[in-house]
Amino acid sequence: MDVAIAPSILSADFVNLEAELARIASADFAHVDVMDNHFVPNLTLGLPVVERIVQVSPVPIDTHLMIEDPDQWAPGFAEAGAASVTFHAEAARAPVRLARELRRLGARAGLALRPATPVEPFLDLLGEFDMVLVMTVEPGFGGQSFLEGTLPKIRRTRQAISEQGLDVWVQVDGGISAATVERAADAGANVFVAGSAVYGSEDAAARIAELRELARASHRH
Ligand code: DX5
Ligand code: ZN
């Protein structure tokens, strides 16, 4: 279980996305937040823009779909070439069927949980997913503070994955910075989304390297 850093372009300059993607060429993924103004009270970008992002990005694309009816819309993002497609448990009607469809289309399938959504109903189904995204803020906006109360859920998710001998990644998203990444890593996260922490920095590459090193050091201890 190595560490991966996925800067969120939600905090990038949307008018200069190609240059903004070039700034994070040393990351493992570019995290793309798709919001529909229904599942969350914010609107970002949709499939046509993601199709172009996949074409110009120097790193694989990790899509986070904060949308209603992912059963209908998520497969299009896999077809567009996103390496990973994560949809919300609260919005999916048939999460296992959808995850199987995403994998069939060649993408990694991710299941996202809002802070108040328990992981327990999914523990016997973890093998159907490649990643569980434990939201560490309420989804919808960048720049919010990390919710400490999500740490026990990260820990329980990682423990269940280990007990079942699975290779499922645990992603955290929201409020991840040099001040919080170690606690999330210590609880068992291995994929770290960071929007404002990376894009708010003059030197995005240095910030990516710093987050990676802090997370790896936590895992070594
Ligand atoms: C929020 C998004 C996040 C957001 C994180 O709903 O899912 O990906 O960009 O932003 P920061 O890292 O600034 O909290
Ligand atoms: Zn996100």
Side-chain angles (χ1 to χ4, degrees), residues 8 10-11 31 33 35 64 66 135 137-144 173-176 193-197:
S8 165
L10 187 61
S11 293
H31 181 85
D33 291 299
M35 305 185 190
H64 175 195
M66 285 158 277
M135 287 302 299
V137 297
E138 284 291 356
F141 303 94
Q144 305 179 77
D173 181 8
I176 298 298
V193 176
S196 47

Side-chain angles (χ1 to χ4, degrees), residues 44-123:
T44 53
L45 42 79
L47 186 56
V49 180
V50 171
E51 282 172 348
R52 276 296 289 152
I53 288 173
V54 167
Q55 288 167 7
V56 304
S57 174
V59 292
I61 298 304
D62 168 41
T63 50
H64 175 195
L65 307 182
M66 285 158 277
I67 61 172
E68 298 290 356
D69 202 3
D71 304 68
Q72 178 174 358
W73 303 111
F77 292 86
E79 283 163 354
S84 178
V85 179
T86 297
F87 59 87
H88 268 266
E90 307 84 2
R93 270 191 286 261
V96 171
R97 182 164 62 218
L98 180 52
R100 288 185 175 188
E101 174 71 357
L102 294 171
R103 284 174 157 184
R104 189 185 67 76
L105 292 168
R108 294 177 61 88
L111 180 75
L113 307 171
R114 283 178 176 270
T117 303
V119 69
E120 280 68 22
F122 300 97
L123 291 183

Side-chain angles (χ1 to χ4, degrees), residues 179-214:
T180 55
V181 67
E182 292 165 290
R183 290 204 291 290
D186 182 61
N190 70 305
V191 185
F192 303 87
V193 176
S196 47
V198 169
Y199 276 104
S201 166
E202 289 276 289
D203 189 344
R207 194 51 63 94
I208 290 164
E210 179 191 24
L211 292 172
R212 192 182 272 131
E213 195 34 56
L214 287 169

Side-chain angles (χ1 to χ4, degrees), residues 1-4 158 161-162 167-170 185 188-191 219:
M1 180 191 69
D2 195 21
V3 159
R158 173 56 67 195
I161 292 166
S162 303
D167 181 23
V168 180
W169 295 352
V170 178
N190 70 305
V191 185
H219 285 181

